[in-house]
Amino acid sequence: MQAGTLSRFLKSGAIWGFIVLELIFFSIAGEFLSLSEKAFMDADNMLLLLKQSAPIGIIAVGMTIIMINGNIDLSVGATFALAAIVLLDSMTWPIFGGMGDWVIPVSWALALMTGIVLGAINGLIVWKTGVDAFIVTLGSMLGYRGLVFMYNGEQPTSHLNWTLVDFAEAQFLGLHTATWFLLAVTVILWFVMNYTVHGRNAYAIGNNREAAVNAGIRVGPHMMINFMLIGFLAALSAVVFYSESGSVNPNDGQLYELWVITAVVLGGTKLTGGSGSIIATFGGVIAIQLLRKGLAHIGANTETVNLVIGLILIAVLILDRQLNVKGKEALKT
């Protein structure tokens, strides 16, 4: 098998093979160790896994587009927390008093707008200054987290609306509301990346930004739209999650950016841009959640889970680099 063919296979199909291996390993290990009376591949267990994958997954599919573009966004965790605070706190604002449950769509809209505005700020700075997105979003990660603490100090922001809770906990065709949001976002962005001009431009810009400019692609506005999109998705993730929980702590969402990037990279998206798949990222999200759930199933602690996922990420990055190097060498011969 040639290097290019092997690389394409690993990036498109390997994540699903890895998921199958996880299911087999943790099912056998769980029965062997007898640490849980419930089978790992129990249907309810798998449905719950999909629901628990939603907060990271919704953001991860957006991060895929950002990384295909050749950028990165480290501020998604802080955006997630700030949007959650706006969602819950706005329901108690006096200006909306007397609206009853009609305050729900208003608060949703305010939270989503918060994410869009924060993403637009990132995109505008990257566009107009030319500063690398890693540096820009590292700064905004700290700045946005500062806004979270300024909003309500170190106290949690809480408001439980039972109509909202009922909506968040509802099931349709056996799938939870959060799962439907994850699936809808995945399908929509898969379509965008595969069948629209915007999607084709994302790959072109990530592959060769200078060539994209010469081809007449408006790179700056394009990237800004993608930063607004991921800001929207970080806020949507918060809306879906906190509609059910009803309480957000100022430290919520920390390390989300690392979990998201790990899922995207596991799905085969290149850190250097120009290559990636929305569906494979979905697989990366499922793989990470399976690892976390599977290791807990066999009695591993949180530190072990983080260590294993970190080692797997490093291994994937090394393998990706080696395959890319071999692919480039093959093109020269």
Side-chain angles (χ1 to χ4, degrees), residues 74-94:
L74 300 178
S75 67
V76 290
T79 300
F80 173 88
L82 190 55
I85 289 175
V86 171
L87 169 73
L88 298 181
D89 195 53
S90 63
M91 291 186 182
T92 66
W93 291 352

Side-chain angles (χ1 to χ4, degrees), residues 4-52:
T5 304
L6 178 61
S7 177
R8 286 192 296 272
F9 168 75
L10 288 173
K11 289 176 180 178
S12 61
I15 189 63
W16 304 107
F18 181 58
I19 289 172
V20 171
L21 290 176
E22 286 182 293
L23 290 171
I24 294 172
F25 173 79
F26 289 122
S27 296
I28 295 174
E31 291 184 14
F32 179 75
L33 296 173
S34 300
L35 293 173
S36 175
E37 296 181 358
K38 197 170 187 179
F40 181 67
M41 290 182 65
D42 178 86
D44 291 337
N45 216 14
M46 294 299 103
L47 290 175
L48 180 60
L49 180 142
L50 284 172
K51 178 185 177 182
Q52 293 171 338

Side-chain angles (χ1 to χ4, degrees), residues 255-294:
L255 297 182
Y256 264 34
E257 53 280 343
L258 298 183
W259 287 108
V260 166
I261 293 169
T262 300
V264 176
V265 171
L266 279 177
T269 298
K270 291 171 58 176
L271 286 172
T272 52
S275 176
S277 164
I278 297 294
I279 300 300
T281 290
F282 179 83
V285 172
I286 300 301
I288 287 178
Q289 195 60 37
L290 275 173
L291 269 178
R292 296 172 70 178
K293 203 172 188 67

Side-chain angles (χ1 to χ4, degrees), residues 123-258:
L124 188 64
I125 294 173
V126 171
W127 173 16
K128 293 299 183 181
T129 67
V131 177
D132 189 88
F134 179 91
I135 302 299
V136 172
T137 59
L138 178 63
S140 61
M141 175 182 72
L142 300 174
Y144 295 165
R145 183 64 64 177
L147 291 176
V148 170
F149 278 93
M150 289 172 62
Y151 200 101
N152 207 19
E154 296 189 7
Q155 301 301 314
T157 300
S158 303
H159 181 75
L160 201 59
N161 182 298
W162 288 108
T163 300
L164 202 52
V165 171
D166 289 341
F167 170 76
E169 292 182 344
Q171 294 186 43
F172 178 67
L173 299 178
L175 300 178
H176 295 86
T177 300
T179 303
W180 282 111
F181 272 96
L182 172 59
L183 294 176
V185 167
T186 301
V187 170
I188 291 170
L189 291 189
W190 170 83
F191 179 85
V192 168
M193 294 303 289
N194 287 278
Y195 295 102
T196 69
V197 173
H198 185 85
R200 291 193 292 271
N201 287 349
Y203 285 103
I205 292 169
N207 189 52
N208 190 322
R209 188 169 299 184
E210 184 177 347
V213 172
N214 293 335
I217 298 174
R218 300 185 64 202
V219 173
H222 173 92
M223 292 193 302
M224 183 171 175
I225 290 171
N226 288 336
F227 275 106
M228 292 170 69
L229 174 62
I230 196 172
F232 169 83
L233 291 174
L236 178 63
S237 175
V239 164
V240 171
F241 182 79
Y242 289 102
S243 292
E244 181 175 357
S245 72
S247 180
V248 54
N249 290 300
N251 285 315
D252 285 359
Q254 285 192 342
L255 297 182
Y256 264 34
E257 53 280 343
L258 298 183

